[in-house]
């Protein structure tokens, strides 16, 4: 039956109990820039002054009108939440607790090529700031702040300075960066959600790469598979250049050529991860390209697997990270002794000599966050004697040769010098590698040569290297491995095409 007209007054009186309830979705949470600014302010003197930071400036390649891929300055992003707008600035007042964002004014000529940028109103709705202005107003705003509180310093970093026509202000550029570093070490719930998402996407890309490994012909194909899986999930930036190394290439820690054929190679070491809204994952998996371990590769993998299992178990609040590094070397020494690669001494003698650094020449892990090798904050005093492991230099003679005439220390990147605390996120990434360039000086060294069996070692060069890496969150009690990429037997079933 058709209804031509409804008497709404009669209809409503007929249903006096009728009411309408609208349920609106909760507002989307914002990146907690304001809370980050407050946390940093607590580490600055006297609660007076201003934080002034600039975002990444727009640029082009030399002799070109094409820009490099944009990457926001990490200190600016930490205090603004802005990931993808160039030429910005921020000002935070310590005494009024007001955070202001300054974005570029509209450039009509750029709209044709790039479309309309976010407006001030859109930025105010998107970011956790109190006000949004354009950079055309920045100098006048800073002059007003200076007139109001002429003795208040402007805290900044490096050589960042307010516009030149803002004179007479006090610049302090030594305190802000360490204050932000101390805050960045601790991840809040919002940051952890970003890190989890980066890990979820990275896990999917690792799975895709595992499935492609048996039929791929070149390292470059596997790099393409990994990156495509990330981009398909809207993660269009890698946390770092993918490391897709096969065979002996796996002995190079940061191998990024990714261009060699896979035929005849034993293992693939895939160290690759996505970035999500500026936050990085860092994940490594190693597996046989054929789906079947060689005897030598399987034995090395088991050692590294035990190194990671044992060190993750003590990646907990209150543990000096240097203790975990020493534990990894103890397990490496024991495992290489059992394989016969190390010989001629007890486990304790060889451990004390530091011979395992020939095969495991890097730190156990690093903090991860806005940078894949994230800031470490203020170091803690060591609670353990590091002995031969105080530096990562594999061998004093090797270090001296590599640094000769170059004005630099070689292979001496320091360990993470922190006692672990709640809400820190750190990678746990032990490895064993067979790099001739690193190992051969040990063979003729009077201290270490007697501990290495060259005849047994000869069987392991083609293994290249094995590394397993996960991102671990330190909890009030225990920890949580936030990396979800398959490992162990689950990984192998995927590589073999069984799931």
């Amino acid at each position: 039956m058709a209804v031509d007209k409804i008497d709404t007054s009669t209809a409503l009186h007929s249903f006096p109990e009728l009411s309408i309830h609208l349920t609106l979705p909760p507002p989307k949470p914002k990146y907690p820039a304001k809370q980050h600014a407050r946390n940093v302010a607590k580490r600055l003197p006297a609660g007076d002054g201003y934080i002034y930071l600039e975002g990444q400036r727009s640029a082009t390649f030399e002799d070109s009108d094409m820009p490099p891929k944009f990457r926001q300055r990490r200190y600016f992003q930490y205090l603004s939440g802005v990931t993808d707008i160039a030429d910005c600035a921020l000002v935070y007042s310590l005494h009024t607790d007001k955070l202001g964002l300054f974005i570029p004014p509209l450039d009509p000529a750029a709209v044709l090529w790039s479309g309309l940028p976010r407006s001030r109103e859109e930025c105010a709705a998107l970011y956790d700031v109190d006000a949004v202005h354009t950079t055309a107003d920045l100098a006048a705003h800073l002059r007003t702040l200076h007139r109001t509180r002429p003795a208040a310093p402007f805290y900044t970093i490096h050589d960042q300075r307010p516009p030149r026509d803002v004179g007479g202000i006090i610049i302090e550029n030594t305190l802000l960066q360490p204050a932000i570093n101390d805050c960045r070490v601790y991840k809040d719930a919002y940051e952890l959600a970003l890190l989890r998402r980066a890990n979820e996407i990275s896990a999917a890309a690792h799975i895709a790469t595992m499935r492609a490994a048996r039929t791929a012909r070149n390292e470059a194909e596997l790099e393409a598979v990994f990156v495509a899986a990330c981009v398909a999930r809207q993660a269009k930036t890698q946390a770092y250049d993918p490391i897709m190394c096969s065979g002996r290439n796996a002995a190079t820690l940061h191998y990024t050529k990714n261009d060699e054929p896979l035929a005849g190679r034993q293992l693939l070491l895939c160290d690759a991860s996505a970035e999500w809204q500026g936050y990085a994952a860092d994940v490594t998996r190693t597996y046989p390209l054929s789906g079947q371990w060689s005897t030598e590769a399987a034995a090395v993998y088991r050692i590294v697997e035990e190194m990671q299992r044992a060190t993750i178990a003590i990646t907990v609040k209150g543990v000096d990270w240097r203790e975990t590094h020493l534990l990894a070397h103890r397990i490496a020494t024991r495992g290489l002794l059992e394989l016969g690669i190390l010989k001629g001494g007890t486990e304790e003698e060889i451990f004390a000599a530091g011979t395992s650094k020939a095969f495991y020449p890097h730190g156990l892990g690093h903090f991860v966050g806005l940078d894949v090798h994230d800031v470490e904050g203020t170091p803690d005093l060591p609670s353990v004697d590091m002995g031969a492991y105080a530096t990562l230099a594999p061998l004093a003679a090797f270090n001296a040769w590599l640094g000769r005439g170059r004005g630099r220390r070689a292979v001496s990147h320091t360990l993470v010098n922190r006692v672990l605390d709640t809400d820190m996120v750190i990678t746990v990434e032990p490895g064993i590698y067979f790099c001739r360039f690193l190992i051969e000086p040990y063979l003729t060294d009077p201290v270490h040569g007697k501990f290495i069996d060259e005849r047994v070692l000869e069987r392991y060069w083609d293994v290249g290297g094995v590394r397993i890496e996960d991102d671990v969150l330190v909890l009030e009690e225990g920890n949580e491995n936030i990396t979800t990429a398959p490992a162990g037997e689950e990984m192998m079933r995927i590589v073999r095409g069984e799931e």
Side-chain angles (χ1 to χ4, degrees), residues 3 10 119 177 196 220 227 298 307 347 384 386 408-409 435:
V3 178
T10 302
S119 66
Q177 186 172 15
R196 292 182 201 280
V227 173
M307 290 165 72
E347 178 185 325
V384 293
M386 297 299 291
R408 61 188 174 101
R409 295 173 297 161
C435 176

Side-chain angles (χ1 to χ4, degrees), residues 30 32 59 108 226 281 288 324 412-413 415 430:
K30 298 180 180 182
F226 190 95
T324 62
S412 57
H413 184 277
L415 301 168

Side-chain angles (χ1 to χ4, degrees), residues 430-450:
I432 290 178
Y433 312 87
F434 299 93
C435 176
R436 283 191 181 274
F437 189 70
L438 287 179
I439 293 172
E440 286 184 343
Y442 277 77
L443 302 179
T444 56
D445 182 80
V447 174
H448 301 285
K450 63 178 182 274

Side-chain angles (χ1 to χ4, degrees), residues 330-354:
R330 283 192 178 276
I331 296 169
T333 300
R334 184 182 311 136
L336 293 171
L337 261 171
E338 291 173 355
L339 295 186
I341 295 173
L342 296 181
K343 62 161 191 173
T346 66
E347 178 185 325
E348 190 59 39
E349 288 171 336
I350 298 174
F351 173 78

Side-chain angles (χ1 to χ4, degrees), residues 31-34 36-37 40 51-56 71-83 88-92 99 101 155-160 173-185 191 278-279 369-371 373-378:
Y31 182 90
K34 186 77 173 284
H36 289 177
V40 171
I51 294 174
Y52 173 79
L53 285 176
E54 298 171 349
Q56 186 63 261
R71 186 179 192 271
Q72 187 61 272
R73 283 174 164 166
R74 276 1 195 190
Y75 292 97
F76 177 83
Q77 180 174 338
Y78 187 71
L79 295 186
S80 69
V82 178
T83 62
C88 297
L90 68 83
V91 179
Y92 175 72
L99 178 60
L101 173 65
Y155 297 101
T156 187
I157 63 174
H158 306 316
D159 58 351
Q160 294 185 29
N173 66 353
T174 64
L175 299 175
L176 180 58
Q177 186 172 15
I180 298 178
N181 287 349
D182 283 343
C183 293
R184 281 176 56 181
V185 168
E191 292 176 292
Y279 280 75
L370 278 169
D371 285 299
H373 294 165
D374 210 18
V375 297
E376 297 176 6
T378 303

Side-chain angles (χ1 to χ4, degrees), residues 190-435:
Y190 195 102
E191 292 176 292
L192 290 174
L194 299 181
L195 288 169
R196 292 182 201 280
R197 182 58 180 155
N199 266 278
E200 289 170 1
I201 295 170
S202 300
H206 272 280
I207 291 170
T209 306
M210 292 169 191
R211 288 178 173 148
R214 285 193 304 153
T215 58
R217 294 170 297 177
N218 193 284
E219 294 165 342
E221 289 182 44
L222 296 177
E223 179 181 7
V225 168
F226 190 95
V227 173
C230 295
V231 173
R233 291 163 176 81
Q234 301 298 320
K236 298 185 179 182
T237 300
Q238 294 292 290
Y240 48 94
D241 287 343
I243 298 165
M244 204 71 62
C245 40
S246 61
R248 295 193 180 196
N249 292 336
T252 300
L253 301 183
H254 285 176
Y255 171 90
T256 56
K257 286 173 55 183
N258 304 343
D259 63 357
E260 293 192 9
L262 301 176
R265 306 285 173 88
Q266 286 194 33
L267 301 182
L268 179 77
L269 189 156
C270 175
D271 183 342
S273 294
E275 178 182 292
W276 185 254
Q277 295 181 24
Y279 280 75
D282 194 358
V283 180
T284 306
R285 294 292 182 262
T286 308
Y287 41 88
L289 286 158
S290 67
Q292 301 296 326
W293 296 101
S294 69
T295 301
E296 291 78 15
V300 174
Y301 188 88
R302 283 193 295 270
I303 296 171
V304 177
E305 199 171 38
E306 175 58 18
M307 290 165 72
Q308 197 200 40
R309 185 204 63 76
T311 52
I312 286 180
I314 65 166
T315 300
V316 296
K317 181 178 180 178
V319 170
D320 191 320
W321 182 248
R322 288 155 284 205
E323 292 181 27
T324 62
H325 183 73
L326 290 177
L327 177 59
H329 271 285
R330 283 192 178 276
I331 296 169
T333 300
R334 184 182 311 136
L336 293 171
L337 261 171
E338 291 173 355
L339 295 186
I341 295 173
L342 296 181
K343 62 161 191 173
T346 66
E347 178 185 325
E348 190 59 39
E349 288 171 336
I350 298 174
F351 173 78
T355 307
S356 59
K357 290 198 292 185
F359 305 93
Y360 174 31
H362 61 76
L364 178 63
H366 52 81
F367 291 125
V368 66
L370 278 169
D371 285 299
V372 66
H373 294 165
D374 210 18
V375 297
E376 297 176 6
T378 303
D380 295 308
L381 294 175
S383 61
V384 293
D385 179 6
M386 297 299 291
Y389 303 92
T391 72
L392 303 183
L395 192 64
F398 173 87
N399 198 48
W401 176 85
L402 191 56
R404 186 173 60 230
R406 291 168 170 80
R408 61 188 174 101
R409 295 173 297 161
V411 201
S412 57
H413 184 277
T414 57
L415 301 168
V416 172
N417 297 313
R418 295 300 302 266
V419 173
L420 298 178
D421 201 0
T422 307
D423 297 329
M424 292 179 172
V425 180
I426 194 162
T427 67
V428 183
E429 50 177 306
I432 290 178
Y433 312 87
F434 299 93
C435 176

